[in-house]
Amino acid sequence: MNKTVKIISRSLLWTLLGLLGLVAFLIVLLYIPPVQDFVIPRVLSAISEPGQLEISARKVRLKFPLRVEIDSASFAVPGMEAGARAGRLNVSPLPLLRGEISVSDLKLDGARFRLGTPDSAFYMTALVNDASMSDARIRLSSQRIMVGELMVDSGKVDMACLLYTSPSP
């Protein structure tokens, strides 16, 4: 009886250590650039839904611990578009365990933003050379976004608020 319990407990211990080792190995693999070049386009295409949500990025690099560098990225949903020539952000790892994304620092170069369509009641476009944001949090459960500080340097914002809209002929 004792021998059987000992064999089962050792087997469970080795299985648990093997699974933890596999998870650690997969995490280490994510930091290797060729693996990122293979995985990220597939993840972005799996997330994107044509006509509903479109996300693209030319090059994304994940650096230790959770620093992300992006080259030429865009995001679009019906009625809204955003993009940047380059971006860098630092994500705090511990809040991820609570279902919260905490970005301590975000910098965008050559950012563009469009909200609405030219024939809608509210239409805004923004072209920004440099933008930075600090202390931003996204709570996934409540879908709340909180931004501590947003700095914009040398940009152009156009807004149109129309009282009445009618479809163009």
Side-chain angles (χ1 to χ4, degrees):
M1 183 77 165
N2 255 348
K3 191 174 185 178
T4 306
V5 170
K6 197 175 194 180
I7 291 173
I8 290 173
S9 64
R10 282 185 186 234
S11 298
L12 287 174
L13 177 66
W14 281 109
T15 302
L16 181 63
L17 288 175
L19 289 174
L20 290 174
L22 179 64
V23 168
F25 178 70
L26 291 175
I27 289 172
V28 168
L29 275 180
L30 285 178
Y31 285 97
I32 300 172
V35 174
Q36 293 174 6
D37 291 339
F38 178 77
V39 170
I40 289 173
R42 284 160 180 74
V43 169
L44 292 179
S45 67
I47 293 172
S48 296
E49 297 176 23
Q52 296 295 319
L53 170 66
E54 296 178 23
I55 303 173
S56 67
R58 182 181 308 149
K59 181 178 170 185
V60 177
R61 287 291 176 253
L62 177 64
K63 299 187 176 188
F64 190 78
L66 281 177
R67 195 174 81 228
V68 181
E69 293 180 0
I70 302 170
D71 181 24
S72 184
S74 66
F75 167 85
V77 294
M80 186 178 83
E81 249 178 66
R85 187 173 53 244
R88 294 166 300 286
L89 65 119
N90 293 315
V91 179
S92 303
L94 289 178
L96 291 172
L97 298 174
R98 295 189 311 260
E100 184 176 289
I101 300 172
S102 178
V103 177
S104 59
D105 184 37
L106 169 69
K107 293 187 185 327
L108 297 175
D109 300 326
R112 63 194 184 286
F113 183 74
R114 180 186 58 79
L115 180 64
T117 58
D119 63 344
S120 61
F122 179 77
Y123 181 63
M124 182 181 84
T125 60
L127 299 171
V128 177
N129 289 334
D130 297 306
S132 64
M133 183 172 54
S134 62
D135 193 28
R137 295 184 182 276
I138 302 171
R139 289 202 176 118
L140 300 174
S141 61
S142 62
Q143 297 180 348
R144 292 187 63 194
I145 299 174
M146 295 158 285
V147 177
E149 183 177 301
L150 176 65
M151 301 287 288
V152 176
D153 183 26
S154 66
K156 178 183 176 186
V157 177
D158 292 322
M159 296 172 100
C161 296
L162 307 172
L163 295 176
Y164 303 102
T165 60
S166 61
S168 52

